[in-house]
């Protein structure tokens, strides 16, 4: 009898079967309840990594389970193919992004198929294909028409290495999210989507996402950042214009002795123009543009500013106060301008002291008498109003509404709500992206491209420039255009491309009808399939992809294209895959295969024989070289063992620590089940398989062994079902199956009677069914060997019997003076007197009691019975 499972033979066989029989192909079926599961689609880097394997295995198990439960399941796959990663990689490898991307898609598609993932490949999409991005160009035109998209000149986050603009959400601790280079400010004309129109709705509905992890909704709430306060108008002296500020402390407005605005504020240049400060202000703005511009980054620099040469009018005191531009004011907070109250804010206090500006006390605790000239620090608390006109003596908290109402009557302020969220800048000065469908005409200005001209195709034969700059402005055949309105021949096409997150904000709807050519999607298909029931991906996308996707659904809802607002009903954010690092004193970080054990059993470098130091267990990273190539695992163990380990090592939401021993253990388990199945087939006659397994009630069984095993099998079915259905805790589900396998191994098959054999067959068949979502190739093979026809995926999920979950025996735990000393089982209906008698007669208990008479015997009966003997 063959003792070893051969994945290299079995896995290709069943992959070919699935493909030939289109097992994973799905269409709308109104007679079935739909289930839409989706993992975040990958950027085609050329290789799947072990994080992909874990992520996609989690999804595949749920998909296969739901199919067996009778759902009509859609499980698509595609490629997030546009953007800087592909472009940068192509430059590094001296190739073209198009060639790089399409080659990588082919390679990764084969890798995913080799893993046995149950994707409907007929629904495959790639966002770099014109038939895909045509429809986001179409949506851009609709948004432009409705005022949801606009263009303005503004300071933006600029990455010099990537040669492009970054959205606020793509700047992480002042670094580019892709290349980690420091981001600077640069003034450019940019296209924006008005995500701020939906700030309130996005925030409110964070509390209506019960299927999302709290950590994600909290991150989104913080990013949207709602603040209640007042909007105050400071009239610019000598001009018919205002500087608007947002403040949460309107009670302190009488103490505003100067104004500070961000260097990126659109008014900075005009305020200083024609004054003696113009050159100084320009130099300061240029200097600040190279600094880190975030709340965290500001702490690295000394607080400094420059007088703009302009004054504004305090709306409460009507005094002229100077306007400064200062490096501690950020355009991304409030309005980019703050009324500076040095007596009530430490930052303003330090600035006032540095530049000799007045510090006027307006709030102080009762019984105190602060003097701005002698104060050592700002007072930021509540108190009584002073130096505040008619509001003197009023509690500062009450003064907030009173002063706001007073200013509102005078037309100088109002109560309002402010959000931290800023409009989404989508322009990118890179080549590999979807072209923005507008034309710039000297006479007509910005002109939308006619819908009939879509898609505006990206030229895939363009040669890239050094440093990653876009070649599009220099391609006359692309950039030169005729104005659709007036016919001028010297119009110019917009040569920016859209942020790659635009593509990923709606791709899940395109999967519903990927070949539909009448719009972004077939409305009827989306009505059936959407929204996504279960989405799986990394928490790092909380304020990027996940927020943008929620925004896009609101746009489509506003346009009347869909009847829902939330794209994903449930969200699972899987943990990272981690492994220890290995370092050599001469060669630095080493790949796992570069560290081998020497004769002394210690790790040494294969290149120089130096001692290798094992570091902390951290997230797998190419830069740290603590990575495992899934291809090597597939060659050595096959897909199913790799899948099993990735699920068994940790719950999906927790980090997984990579372990070679763990993979070996998974391999041993698979072969253990294989040997068990073959042994049963060898020792059970054909009649046994023909008549089938026992499926009645446990109480119909005569043998205690058969009854015990049957109850164990039913308990296992319930445990696995609950763990997959309710919590995705595949590790505990697998553990339950392992226990059932152990129970079968404890039985001598040669001495088993027919009744027991029928229960063994029931257990074995259900082990195969329960493991089939996790080990699909392996279980298909065993299912076939058992004489079954078709795919195991077409079988219904096992059902457990409610009347077979409890044994008619209970466990009795016996303690002596509170310490565990013995255990035994006894009939569930046994009375307490018999339990006490049995406990005292137990050999282990007699050893601990000796000749002493028990003072007390306490019996507590619950799921298990506790006997505590006090001597």
């Amino acid at each position: 009898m063959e003792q070893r499972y051969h994945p290299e033979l079995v896995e290709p066989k069943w992959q070919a079967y699935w493909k030939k029989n289109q097992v994973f192909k799905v269409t709308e079926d109104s007679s079935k309840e739909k289930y839409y599961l989706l993992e975040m689609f990958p950027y085609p880097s050329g290789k799947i990594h072990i994080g992909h394997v874990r992520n996609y295995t989690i999804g595949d198990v749920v998909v296969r389970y739901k199919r067996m439960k009778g759902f009509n399941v859609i499980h698509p796959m595609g490629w997030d193919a546009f953007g800087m990663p592909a472009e940068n990689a192509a430059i590094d490898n001296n190739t073209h992004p198009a060639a790089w991307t399409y080659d990588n898609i082919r390679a990764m598609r084969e890798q995913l198929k080799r893993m046995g993932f149950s994707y409907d490949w007929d629904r495959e999409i790639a966002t770099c294909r014109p038939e895909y991005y045509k429809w986001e160009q179409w949506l851009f035109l609709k948004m432009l028409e409705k005022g949801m998209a606009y263009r303005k000149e503004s300071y933006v986050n600029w990455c010099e290495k990537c040669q492009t603009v970054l959205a606020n959400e793509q700047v992480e601790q002042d670094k580019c999210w892709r290349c980690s280079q420091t981001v600077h400010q640069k003034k450019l004309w940019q296209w924006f989507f008005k995500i701020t129109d939906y700030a309130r709705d996005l925030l409110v509905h964070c509390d209506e996402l019960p299927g999302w992890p709290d950590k994600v909704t909290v991150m989104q709430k913080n990013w949207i950042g709602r603040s209640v306060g007042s909007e105050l108008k400071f009239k610019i002296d000598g001009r018919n214009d205002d500087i608007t500020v947002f403040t949460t402390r309107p009670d302190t407005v009488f103490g505003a002795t100067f104004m500070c605005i961000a260097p990126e504020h659109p008014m900075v240049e005009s305020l200083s123009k024609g004054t003696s400060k113009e050159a100084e202000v320009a130099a300061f703005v240029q200097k600040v543009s190279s600094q880190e511009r975030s709340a965290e980054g500001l702490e690295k620099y000394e607080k400094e500013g420059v007088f703009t040469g302009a004054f504004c009018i305090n709306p409460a005191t009507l005094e002229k106060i100077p306007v400064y531009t200062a490096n501690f004011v950020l355009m991304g907070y409030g309005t980019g301008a703050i009324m500076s109250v040095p007596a009530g804010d430490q930052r303003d206090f330090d600035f006032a002291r540095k530049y000799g500006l007045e510090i006027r006390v307006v709030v102080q605790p009762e019984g105190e008498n602060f003097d701005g000239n002698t104060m050592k620090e700002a007072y930021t608390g509540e108190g009584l109003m002073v130096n505040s006109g008619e509001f003197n003596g009023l509690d500062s908290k009450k003064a907030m509404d009173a002063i706001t109402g007073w200013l509102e009557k005078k037309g100088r302020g109002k109560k309002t709500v402010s959000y931290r969220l800023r409009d989404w800048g989508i322009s990118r000065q890179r080549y590999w992206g979807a072209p923005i469908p507008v034309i710039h005409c000297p006479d007509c200005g910005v002109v939308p491209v006619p819908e009939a001209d879509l898609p505006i195709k990206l030229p895939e034969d363009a040669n890239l420039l050094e440093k990653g700059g876009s070649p599009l402005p220099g391609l006359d055949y692309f950039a030169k255009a005729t104005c659709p309105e007036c016919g001028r021949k010297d119009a110019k096409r917009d040569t920016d491309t859209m942020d790659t997150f635009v593509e990923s904000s709606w791709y899940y709807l395109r999967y519903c009808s990927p070949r539909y050519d009448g719009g972004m999607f077939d409305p009827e298909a989306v009505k059936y399939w959407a929204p996504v029931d279960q989405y799986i991906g990394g928490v790092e996308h909380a304020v990027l992809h996940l927020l943008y996707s929620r925004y896009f659904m609101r746009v489509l809802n506003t346009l009347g294209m869909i009847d829902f607002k939330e794209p994903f009903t449930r969200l699972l954010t899987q943990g990272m895959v981690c492994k220890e690092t290995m370092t050599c004193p001469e060669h630095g970080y080493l790949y796992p295969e570069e560290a081998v054990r020497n004769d002394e059993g210690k790790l040494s470098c294969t290149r120089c024989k130096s001692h290798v130091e094992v570091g902390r267990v951290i997230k797998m990273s190419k830069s740290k070289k603590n990575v495992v190539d899934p291809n090597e695992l597939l060659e050595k163990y096959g897909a199913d063992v790799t899948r099993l380990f990735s699920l068994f090592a940790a719950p999906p939401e927790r980090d997984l620590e990579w372990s070679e021993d763990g993979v070996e253990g998974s391999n041993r388990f698979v072969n253990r089940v294989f040997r068990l199945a073959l042994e049963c087939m060898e020792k059970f006659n054909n009649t046994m398989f023909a008549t089938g397994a026992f499926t009645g009630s446990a109480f119909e069984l005569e043998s205690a062994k058969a009854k015990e095993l049957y109850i164990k099998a039913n308990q296992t079915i319930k445990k696995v079902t609950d763990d997959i259905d309710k919590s995705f805790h595949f590790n505990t589900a697998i553990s339950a199956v392992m226990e059932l396998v152990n129970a079968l191994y404890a039985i001598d098959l040669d001495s088993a009677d027919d009744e027991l054999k029928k229960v063994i067959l029931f257990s074995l068949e259900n082990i195969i069914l329960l493991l089939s979502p996790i080990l699909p190739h392996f279980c298909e093979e065993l299912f076939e060997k058992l004489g079954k026809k078709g795919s195991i995926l077409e079988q219904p999920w096992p059902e457990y019997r409610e009347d077979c979950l409890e044994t008619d025996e209970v466990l009795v735990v016996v303690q002596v003076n509170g310490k565990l000393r013995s255990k035994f089982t006894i009939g569930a209906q046994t009375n307490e007197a018999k339990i006490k008698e049995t406990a005292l007669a137990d050999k282990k208990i007699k050893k601990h009691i000796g000749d002493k008479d028990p003072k007390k015997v306490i019996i507590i009966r619950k799921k298990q019975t506790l006997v505590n003997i006090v001597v």
Side-chain angles (χ1 to χ4, degrees):
M1 181 180 70
E2 175 61 65
Q3 292 294 311
R4 192 173 72 83
Y5 170 62
H6 289 279
E8 71 277 10
L9 302 177
V10 171
E11 291 178 356
K13 166 188 170 181
W14 287 104
Q15 287 163 18
Y17 175 90
W18 295 331
K19 181 179 179 180
K20 179 182 177 182
N21 292 278
Q22 296 187 311
V23 174
F24 308 139
K25 186 175 176 62
V26 65
T27 57
E28 294 85 66
D29 183 349
S30 58
S31 68
K32 284 186 176 182
E33 185 177 353
K34 69 92 180 179
Y35 189 81
Y36 188 172
L37 184 138
L38 187 63
E39 306 96 1
M40 293 180 185
F41 64 168
Y43 143 65
S45 61
K47 277 187 176 182
I48 63 171
H49 53 67
I50 205 69
H52 287 134
V53 170
R54 187 188 191 199
N55 189 14
Y56 301 151
T57 300
I58 290 167
D60 197 55
V61 170
V62 178
V63 162
R64 289 173 177 274
Y65 165 77
K66 288 290 186 180
R67 280 189 170 138
M68 295 174 76
K69 290 288 282 185
F71 287 83
N72 193 28
V73 183
I74 183 172
H75 187 210
M77 175 50 69
W79 313 98
D80 191 9
F82 264 151
M84 287 189 293
E87 192 169 332
N88 289 343
I91 292 169
D92 291 343
N93 289 275
N94 196 29
T95 187
H96 194 278
W100 170 264
T101 299
Y102 295 132
D103 285 349
N104 287 349
I105 286 174
R106 281 189 288 272
M108 290 180 71
R109 185 191 298 119
E110 290 310 307
Q111 286 179 300
L112 294 177
K113 286 182 176 180
R114 195 176 170 192
M115 284 299 304
F117 297 135
S118 56
Y119 296 124
D120 181 354
W121 285 104
D122 288 347
R123 294 178 181 270
E124 181 184 13
I125 60 173
T127 60
C128 61
R129 300 297 302 169
E131 59 268 26
Y132 180 85
Y133 64 74
K134 167 185 178 177
W135 296 110
E136 71 187 53
Q137 290 177 337
W138 176 88
L139 181 62
F140 178 95
L141 295 179
K142 293 298 175 190
M143 293 174 71
L144 185 60
E145 178 186 314
K146 299 289 185 181
M148 297 174 169
Y150 64 94
R151 187 171 183 258
K152 71 173 182 179
E153 188 179 28
S154 68
Y155 280 94
V156 291
N157 305 307
W158 178 261
C159 175
E160 187 63 29
K161 182 175 180 181
C162 294
Q163 286 286 292
T164 194
V165 168
L166 303 173
N168 290 337
E169 294 85 348
Q170 294 166 324
V171 179
E172 300 171 351
Q173 297 181 331
D174 298 301
K175 301 285 193 293
C176 172
W177 71 298
R178 274 298 176 188
C179 73
S180 299
Q181 292 294 306
T182 299
V183 172
H184 303 303
Q185 297 297 300
K186 189 172 184 177
K187 200 170 188 179
L188 291 173
W189 281 95
Q190 296 287 293
W191 285 100
F192 292 86
F193 284 162
K194 293 185 72 175
I195 190 172
T196 52
D197 283 353
Y198 296 92
R200 182 181 181 277
D201 196 57
L202 288 165
L203 182 66
V204 168
H205 281 82
C206 280
D207 293 324
E208 298 177 22
L209 296 169
W212 284 42
D214 288 343
K215 60 185 175 183
V216 175
T217 54
V218 167
M219 288 168 75
Q220 289 207 0
K221 285 178 182 179
N222 290 340
W223 189 260
I224 296 166
R226 182 178 186 269
S227 297
V228 177
S230 299
E231 186 180 274
L232 307 180
K233 294 180 180 179
F234 287 69
K235 189 177 186 308
I236 301 172
D237 185 43
R239 289 170 53 174
N240 189 26
D241 207 351
D242 300 314
I243 299 175
T244 302
V245 303
F246 173 81
T247 178
T248 57
R249 290 293 305 271
D251 54 313
T252 65
V253 64
F254 283 87
T257 57
F258 58 99
M259 167 81 69
C260 283
I261 62 177
E264 303 89 356
H265 197 288
M267 284 188 170
V268 168
E269 186 177 347
S270 63
L271 287 173
S272 62
K273 194 168 186 178
T275 72
S276 61
K277 296 292 183 179
E278 185 174 1
E280 188 179 357
V281 168
F284 180 76
V285 169
Q286 180 62 35
K287 174 185 174 183
V288 173
S289 71
S290 64
Q291 296 178 351
E292 294 182 24
R293 300 294 289 151
S294 70
E296 297 80 10
L298 294 183
E299 300 304 317
K300 300 178 182 179
Y301 305 100
E302 180 185 355
K303 296 175 183 65
E304 58 181 350
V306 173
F307 176 45
T308 63
F311 292 85
C312 62
I313 308 300
N314 183 313
T317 66
L318 301 182
E319 297 170 317
K320 281 202 314 183
I321 61 174
V323 180
Y324 280 74
T325 179
N327 66 345
F328 61 84
V329 186
L330 295 172
M331 198 63 212
Y333 289 85
T335 64
I338 61 171
M339 62 175 203
S340 295
V341 184
D345 181 276
Q346 189 60 43
R347 183 183 50 190
D348 294 344
F349 183 91
D350 296 338
F351 193 85
R353 282 279 188 257
K354 181 173 183 176
Y355 293 102
L357 299 165
E358 180 187 357
I359 298 176
R360 181 184 299 163
V361 177
V362 288
V363 177
Q364 61 188 18
E366 189 172 0
E368 293 285 352
N369 188 20
F370 291 149
D371 181 347
N373 295 317
T374 58
M375 287 177 75
K376 301 297 184 186
E377 61 182 4
Y379 173 69
T380 59
E382 297 174 1
L384 298 178
M385 303 295 297
V386 294
N387 299 320
S388 300
E390 63 187 79
F391 302 100
N392 284 344
L394 188 65
D395 177 86
S396 61
K397 201 166 186 180
K398 294 179 180 177
M400 290 186 183
D401 286 341
I403 291 176
T404 301
W406 176 68
L407 289 173
E408 187 163 9
K409 288 177 183 177
K410 297 176 180 296
R412 302 176 203 153
K414 64 179 180 180
K415 195 168 185 177
T416 190
V417 173
S418 177
Y419 293 93
R420 177 175 180 259
L421 183 67
R422 290 292 175 263
D423 283 339
W424 176 11
I426 65 151
S427 297
R428 297 294 177 267
Q429 292 66 46
R430 294 295 292 249
Y431 159 71
W432 192 238
I436 294 175
V438 297
I439 289 170
H440 300 275
C441 173
D443 289 339
C444 305
V446 175
V447 182
V449 168
E451 285 184 23
D453 292 350
L454 298 180
I456 303 303
K457 292 185 179 181
L458 182 74
E460 292 194 1
D461 57 352
N463 292 319
L464 296 191
L465 304 180
E466 290 184 13
K467 294 179 67 178
S470 174
L472 296 179
L475 295 178
D476 286 347
Y477 68 90
F478 177 82
K480 287 185 176 180
T482 300
C483 175
E485 288 192 1
C486 71
R488 281 190 63 154
K489 303 293 186 184
D490 58 347
K492 292 282 187 181
R493 194 177 300 285
D494 199 307
T495 55
D496 283 353
T497 53
M498 291 194 227
D499 181 6
T500 185
F501 282 99
V502 176
E503 282 88 63
S504 60
S505 292
W506 69 282
Y507 77 105
Y508 39 89
L509 296 187
R510 187 65 183 172
Y511 279 141
C512 298
S513 51
R515 309 295 168 248
Y516 185 69
D517 61 2
M520 292 179 72
F521 45 78
D522 180 346
E524 290 303 312
V526 165
K527 192 171 183 180
Y528 178 79
W529 290 116
V532 174
D533 295 286
Q534 181 67 60
Y535 202 37
I536 303 174
V539 71
E540 66 271 16
H541 298 291
V543 294
L544 286 162
H545 163 59
L546 292 171
L547 183 62
Y548 293 153
S549 295
R550 295 184 63 216
Y551 161 62
F552 251 55
M553 292 308 97
R554 281 157 172 76
V555 170
L556 295 178
N557 180 271
T558 300
L559 295 174
M561 297 172 65
I562 57 175
D563 61 2
F564 56 92
K565 289 183 178 181
E566 294 298 341
F568 316 118
T569 303
R570 293 183 62 187
L571 172 69
L572 171 68
T573 53
Q574 85 282 357
M576 299 180 294
V577 181
C578 304
K579 194 180 189 303
E580 75 279 357
T581 58
M582 295 184 181
T583 52
C584 165
E586 184 174 341
H587 296 102
Y589 288 113
L590 301 178
Y591 288 108
E593 61 272 18
E594 294 178 319
V596 295
R597 297 201 177 276
N598 56 27
D599 295 340
E600 299 174 0
K602 295 179 179 179
L603 287 172
S604 63
C605 175
T606 56
R607 294 153 72 183
C608 67
K609 307 304 179 186
S610 297
H611 171 70
V612 171
E613 184 175 338
V614 178
R616 293 185 304 112
V617 174
I618 59 173
K619 177 185 176 183
M620 283 190 180
S621 159
K622 288 181 182 177
S623 63
K624 301 291 191 297
K625 297 187 178 180
N626 61 333
V627 293
V628 175
D629 184 356
N631 284 334
E632 294 179 9
L633 294 171
L634 290 173
E635 290 297 328
K636 186 174 181 181
Y637 298 105
D640 283 352
V641 169
T642 305
R643 290 167 61 116
L644 178 64
F645 172 74
S646 71
L647 296 171
F648 185 54
E653 72 277 7
R654 301 280 296 275
D655 289 349
L656 180 155
E657 184 175 338
W658 183 261
S659 162
E660 188 69 29
D661 290 342
V663 183
E664 285 286 357
S666 296
N667 189 47
R668 286 195 298 273
F669 172 69
V670 167
N671 278 281
R672 202 160 184 256
V673 176
F674 188 72
R675 290 193 300 273
L676 174 67
L678 294 189
E679 189 177 357
C680 288
M681 291 177 216
E682 184 181 84
K683 295 189 176 180
F684 292 5
N685 58 42
N686 291 334
T687 305
M688 182 69 62
F689 286 102
T691 56
F694 178 79
T695 57
S697 169
F699 300 104
E700 298 172 23
L701 295 166
E702 296 180 5
S703 158
K705 265 189 181 179
K707 189 182 295 184
E708 181 183 356
L709 178 62
Y710 192 63
I711 289 171
K712 178 73 172 175
N714 276 275
Q715 289 172 339
T716 303
I717 295 169
K718 183 179 189 304
K719 172 68 174 168
V720 174
T721 303
D722 288 348
D723 283 350
I724 294 178
D725 204 50
K726 296 177 181 178
S727 62
F728 292 177
H729 281 185
F730 311 111
N731 57 325
T732 53
I734 294 165
S735 182
V737 177
M738 287 178 170
E739 288 182 18
L740 182 56
V741 170
N742 289 341
L744 288 176
Y745 262 99
I747 297 171
D748 181 0
L749 295 182
D750 291 324
S751 61
D753 59 18
D754 283 352
E755 181 185 65
L756 181 54
K757 284 180 179 178
K758 284 182 176 291
V759 175
I760 291 170
L761 184 58
F762 172 82
S763 302
L764 179 63
E765 287 180 350
N766 280 288
I767 284 170
I768 295 169
L769 288 168
L770 294 173
L771 287 175
S772 65
I774 298 163
L775 307 169
H777 312 86
F778 174 77
C779 292
E780 289 275 24
E781 184 71 8
L782 289 184
F783 188 70
E784 183 185 65
K785 286 183 180 296
L786 285 175
K788 309 292 184 180
K789 301 297 182 184
S791 170
I792 197 170
L793 196 56
E794 297 164 351
Q795 299 301 306
W797 184 254
E799 300 281 346
Y800 56 87
R801 291 184 59 120
E802 290 283 355
D803 61 352
C804 297
L805 295 177
E806 297 293 336
T807 177
D808 54 3
E809 290 187 332
V810 294
L811 177 67
V812 179
V813 176
V814 188
Q815 297 177 341
V816 177
N817 291 336
K819 292 185 178 180
L820 176 65
R821 296 304 185 190
S822 187
K823 295 178 183 178
F824 59 84
T825 57
I826 201 166
Q829 306 304 317
T830 306
N831 62 38
E832 290 191 3
K834 183 64 176 176
I835 293 172
K836 176 180 177 181
E837 179 187 332
T838 306
L840 292 172
D842 187 280
K843 289 181 180 180
K844 294 179 182 177
I845 299 303
K846 281 184 174 181
K847 177 181 175 183
H848 286 284
I849 294 176
D851 297 332
K852 299 174 185 175
D853 291 326
K855 295 178 182 178
K856 192 185 297 184
V857 178
I858 303 166
I859 299 176
I860 301 172
R861 305 186 78 163
K862 290 188 177 178
K863 279 191 175 180
Q864 65 181 29
T865 298
L866 172 66
V867 178
N868 189 15
I869 302 169
V870 181
V871 295

